[in-house]
Amino acid sequence: MISPQTALHDPVFRAYLLIVPVSLAFGGMILGFIHWGLNKELGPIWKTYRSWLVMAPIGLLVICAGRVPVIVGVTVLSIFGFKEFARSSGLYRDWWMTGAVYAGVIAVGVASLMSHPQREESGAGWYGFFMAVPVFAIALILLIPILRNRAGGELQKMSLSIVGFIYIGWMFGHLGFLANATNAYGFLCYVIFATELNDVSAFTFGRLFGRHPLRSEISPRKTWEGALGALAVSMVLPWLLRFSFPFFGTKQLIFTGLIVGIGGQLGDLSISVIKRDIGTKDMGAAIPGHGGILDRIDSLIYVAPLFMHMVTYYYGVR
């Protein structure tokens, strides 16, 4: 189990303490080359890069702090991410619906923190309850119009609430549940690092070689060249960082590359669909150069559950 006492003695976590700052330094050099060497305008990307200089150490510090801070941190990010979604979509005006979603998000965090009541070990996470939370949360959301005796306009509110809870509260909540794994340092550090590197690679390859729009009506700046370049990087990375999960076989390494390389970009595009439909560029302005919290965690929303269930299928999350 991860804790402050074990973090600095764990070889995987210590490796990422070196990998992350080296990667940030290397990324800064690449941006400098693109900007000054190739004379390509990067727009607000330097502000994004400076934000990463702050966010990356905070992420490592939270993981170092232990299992409970990771789960609580993911839950808090989910709450604020949903708050941005609710404000942008207009759902925030309905406190009954938003309150139900907040309750569901908190329940996901509680399920990640709790141990199974019929098991002796503590701090293992209650997997069955975690998987069942969507049933109770959706049932509560559907119950609200009945309790209020309303029918007009309720379908849109229920739909937004269910999408917000499943997408932001439950799918992203899988990242917190990974803190219960025996190999939590390897899983958490790899998933976060690889997903963000996938985003950076898509941007870099897109700027250097991008010619063909990936989905012009959803995200005009994303290109096929950027997407394929990011996928190539993500397919190679599990082999380069295999120390993160030394027990993975070839099949699991390939799946890991596909999950990050494809899932990360699907998460980004899914949020872009929502933003386009409601007519906003960013979900918020909490992070300079990134937009809101939801704009920053969107790629992990696909990657975290797909990766966790792949690991659970082959090895069990423990």
Side-chain angles (χ1 to χ4, degrees):
M1 186 184 300
I2 61 175
S3 68
Q5 291 74 31
T6 60
L8 297 180
H9 298 284
D10 185 88
V12 173
F13 183 75
R14 289 169 61 184
Y16 278 97
L17 285 179
L18 176 63
I19 290 171
V20 170
V22 169
S23 299
L24 286 171
F26 185 65
M29 289 189 289
I30 291 177
L31 291 176
F33 173 73
I34 295 173
H35 184 72
W36 290 292
L38 301 179
N39 293 317
K40 288 185 176 287
E41 181 57 42
L42 297 182
I45 193 64
W46 283 113
K47 186 182 291 185
T48 304
Y49 176 72
R50 289 194 293 271
S51 293
W52 269 120
L53 295 177
V54 177
M55 291 190 297
I58 291 176
L60 286 171
L61 183 62
V62 172
I63 294 175
C64 179
R67 170 182 168 271
V68 173
V70 169
I71 295 172
V72 171
V74 169
T75 303
V76 169
L77 287 176
S78 297
I79 289 172
F80 281 98
F82 174 72
K83 182 179 180 180
E84 292 176 349
F85 171 81
R87 285 189 180 278
S88 299
S89 64
L91 180 64
Y92 202 69
R93 290 188 291 269
D94 191 323
W95 278 98
W96 284 64
M97 289 292 182
T98 54
V101 176
Y102 287 140
V105 172
I106 292 171
V108 170
V110 170
S112 301
L113 286 169
M114 289 178 63
S115 59
H116 194 288
Q118 295 180 353
R119 295 177 184 169
E120 293 183 0
E121 69 268 21
S122 60
W126 189 352
Y127 182 78
F129 181 33
F130 179 86
M131 295 301 296
V133 168
V135 175
F136 300 110
I138 293 172
L140 177 59
I141 291 168
L142 297 176
L143 180 63
I144 288 174
I146 299 173
L147 295 175
R148 296 194 293 188
N149 192 28
R150 293 182 185 176
E154 293 300 300
L155 179 59
Q156 182 183 26
K157 296 175 184 177
M158 289 189 297
S159 300
L160 287 170
S161 298
I162 292 170
V163 169
F165 167 72
I166 293 294
Y167 194 59
I168 304 167
W170 188 64
M171 290 177 67
F172 181 62
H174 283 71
L175 184 67
F177 200 89
L178 278 173
N180 296 304
T182 303
N183 189 48
Y185 289 120
F187 292 157
L188 287 170
C189 290
Y190 181 85
V191 165
I192 296 171
F193 177 78
T195 303
E196 302 311 327
L197 182 61
N198 179 70
D199 286 352
V200 172
S201 300
F203 170 82
T204 304
F205 281 98
R207 284 286 180 168
L208 291 176
F209 309 110
R211 297 291 183 274
H212 304 89
L214 179 63
R215 284 294 178 267
S216 58
E217 295 299 316
I218 297 173
S219 187
R221 293 186 179 182
K222 288 182 172 57
T223 64
W224 278 104
E225 291 81 2
L228 293 174
L231 177 59
V233 171
S234 295
M235 292 302 296
V236 172
L237 200 61
W239 304 88
L240 296 178
L241 301 180
R242 193 170 184 174
F243 67 87
S244 301
F245 21 65
F247 46 88
F248 274 18
T250 300
K251 186 186 297 184
Q252 290 76 38
L253 293 172
I254 293 173
F255 284 156
T256 298
L258 291 172
I259 286 169
V260 173
I262 298 176
Q265 299 188 66
L266 287 177
D268 195 2
L269 288 170
S270 296
I271 290 295
S272 295
V273 169
I274 296 172
K275 290 191 290 188
R276 285 278 171 183
D277 192 40
I278 61 181
T280 185
K281 181 178 181 295
D282 294 316
M283 284 294 187
I287 308 173
H290 292 265
I293 291 172
L294 193 53
D295 297 297
R296 185 61 272 143
I297 67 172
D298 54 5
S299 299
L300 284 164
I301 288 173
Y302 264 76
V303 173
L306 291 173
F307 180 80
M308 190 187 107
H309 289 296
M310 186 271 289
V311 170
T312 303
Y313 176 78
Y314 285 106
Y315 307 104
V317 74
R318 291 290 291 165

